[in-house]
Amino acid sequence: QVQLVESGGGLVQAGGSLRLSCAASGSIFSINGMGWYRQAPGKQRELVATITSGGITNYVDSVLGRFTVSRDNAKNTMYLQMNSLKPEDTAVYYCVADAPFRRYWGQGTQVTVSS
């Protein structure tokens, strides 16, 4: 089992920045890739960014150049640095961790960007 706990969400003005953290515990040796999803009210959950165990990253087009995903394996923590935030980035952000045959989800953290 893997437990994921997100933190760092909050209210920020458009153009501002936030850094989300996702702390993993439990059977962390089984984790391969990790990533961030988000879900805005009335919309489907969307994949935002992923990072492999080797540090290869991928992003949805709408956040390219603004968001950066990283992971500190020594601290068992993944981060999402979000810059130049826009109102359309408002959503609940979830971290995920992939292990063989299973995907784990965090509980989510709210990000609200005011215009």
Side-chain angles (χ1 to χ4, degrees):
Q1 292 282 348
V2 173
Q3 294 79 43
L4 303 173
V5 178
E6 301 103 331
S7 61
L11 173 63
V12 65
Q13 288 189 330
S17 298
L18 283 174
R19 189 177 80 155
L20 305 183
S21 299
C22 173
S25 61
S27 301
I28 55 176
F29 59 86
S30 65
I31 295 175
N32 296 315
M34 299 184 73
W36 292 94
Y37 279 77
R38 66 184 178 187
Q39 187 166 22
K43 294 188 176 181
Q44 288 190 333
R45 195 166 291 189
E46 173 188 43
L47 178 61
V48 176
T50 60
I51 183 166
T52 68
S53 56
I56 298 172
T57 59
N58 208 349
Y59 301 91
V60 67
D61 286 349
S62 60
V63 307
L64 271 174
R66 300 189 298 122
F67 290 12
T68 302
V69 61
S70 61
R71 62 194 286 183
D72 185 336
N73 291 327
K75 295 183 178 180
N76 303 320
T77 302
M78 176 180 62
Y79 304 97
L80 185 66
Q81 178 66 44
M82 305 185 294
N83 299 328
S84 302
L85 282 161
K86 305 175 181 180
E88 51 264 44
D89 294 318
T90 295
V92 177
Y93 284 71
Y94 300 89
C95 72
V96 296
D98 287 330
F101 311 113
R102 179 148 182 196
R103 165 165 284 183
Y104 295 92
W105 291 82
Q107 82 286 352
T109 186
Q110 176 70 47
V111 171
T112 303
V113 184
S114 63
S115 56

